[in-house]
């Protein structure tokens, strides 16, 4: 098998097998391996394997995804790897590896993996170009995906290293965040509100700029994105609790991007959805059952507590020597 690193090199290069020198005909040899027999040698001591340009390019076409470019240096890498594999193939056959049961099992595994990969590639090719009607419908049904909003954001730290009691500081920070939101709703300047809130809390941190520019829904945490993108320009979100901060958003403006500018993004998304749907249809059409008795996790060995050290027997009483009779 060609190594994964080589396949990655071939697939990462551009859009079609670069043309070889026009002086090299399809039937001309591009690899000649002396000492390796592709067939029984016609004469004793004569053993040569020849790979033509056509054969090598067919191999490259099978390895590379359709529409990929393989530059000349990658062609050479492929040729050298192929020559080495053909050499090892000859040695392995002489050693009888083809009859090894382990070889047969690995061959079956690689066959299944390769067949599945080619099937997925065919699906990707099939669904690569959604129709204009499909793109129009997707754009119409998913306006929030293609909307940009200009946001202002106030971030109030929930904790501060200079605070003596963190729980008290967090409680005051939440109260300050609610007050800051009320001021934002009234239309006060976001930077000024944030600056004064930090000062009132005695926070040791510097307040970030409130204007965070244009954002898409995907650039915000999911729960925040759903709320913020449902707001009209001028509206203010509720106080959002993040891991380290209380956050308040104000929507300055909203803009739906033109369909033409997101057409490629829609096409890729539709293609991906349809491929995944087709793959799911295949897997859901079959139901696998597994012998749970066989696949159950092995029971952990029971740890035996170390026996407590035995109590040593009492030391024998020291016998005093008998007194001699008077």
């Amino acid at each position: 098998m060609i190594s994964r690193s080589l396949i990655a090199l071939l697939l990462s290069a551009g859009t079609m097998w670069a043309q070889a020198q026009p002086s090299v005909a399809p039937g001309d040899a591009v690899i000649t391996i002396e000492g390796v027999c592709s067939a029984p040698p016609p004469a004793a001591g004569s053993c040569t394997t020849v790979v033509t340009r056509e054969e090598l390019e067919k191999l490259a076409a099978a390895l590379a995804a359709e529409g990929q470019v393989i530059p000349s240096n990658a062609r050479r890498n492929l040729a050298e790897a192929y020559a080495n594999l053909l050499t090892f193939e000859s040695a392995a056959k002489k050693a009888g590896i083809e009859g090894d049961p382990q070889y047969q099992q690995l061959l079956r595994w690689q066959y299944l993996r390769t067949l599945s990969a080619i099937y997925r590639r065919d699906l990707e090719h099939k669904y690569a170009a959604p129709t204009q009607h499909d793109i129009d419908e997707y754009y119409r049904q998913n306006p929030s995906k293609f909307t940009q909003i200009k946001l202002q954001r106030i971030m109030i730290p929930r904790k501060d290293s200079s605070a003596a009691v963190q729980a008290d500081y967090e409680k005051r920070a939440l109260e300050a965040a609610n007050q800051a939101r009320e001021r934002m709703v009234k239309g006060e300047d976001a930077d000024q509100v944030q600056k004064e809130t930090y000062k009132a809390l005695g926070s040791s941190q510097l307040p970030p700029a409130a204007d965070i520019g244009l954002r898409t829904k995907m650039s915000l945490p999911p729960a925040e994105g759903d709320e913020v993108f449902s707001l009209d320009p001028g509206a203010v979100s509720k106080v959002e609790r993040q891991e380290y901060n209380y956050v308040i958003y104000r929507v300055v403006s909203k803009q739906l991007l033109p369909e033409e500018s997101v057409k490629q993004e829609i096409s890729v998304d539709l293609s991906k959805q349809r491929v995944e749907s087709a793959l799911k249809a295949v897997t859901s059409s079959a139901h696998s059952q597994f012998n749970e008795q066989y696949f159950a996790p092995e029971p952990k060995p029971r740890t035996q507590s170390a026996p407590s050290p035995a109590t040593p027997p009492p030391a024998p009483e020291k016998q005093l020597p008998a007194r001699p009779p008077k």
Side-chain angles (χ1 to χ4, degrees), residues 127-143 145-146 256-274:
Y127 296 116
T131 66
Q132 184 60 48
H133 173 74
D134 291 339
I135 292 173
D136 293 342
E137 282 298 300
Y138 189 88
Y139 179 78
R140 184 181 63 81
Q141 294 172 9
N142 299 276
K145 285 189 175 183
F146 312 112
L256 181 64
L257 298 172
E259 181 179 336
E260 193 60 32
S261 69
V262 293
K263 184 176 180 178
Q264 181 60 29
E265 180 183 342
I266 294 174
S267 181
V268 170
D269 204 11
L270 276 173
S271 176
K272 182 179 178 182
Q273 286 182 13
R274 289 173 178 177

Side-chain angles (χ1 to χ4, degrees), residues 52-74:
T52 66
R53 169 187 167 181
E54 182 179 15
E55 290 169 341
L56 186 64
E57 291 185 358
K58 282 182 178 179
L59 173 62
L63 289 174
E66 189 172 344
Q68 296 273 328
V69 170
I70 302 175
S72 57
N73 64 327

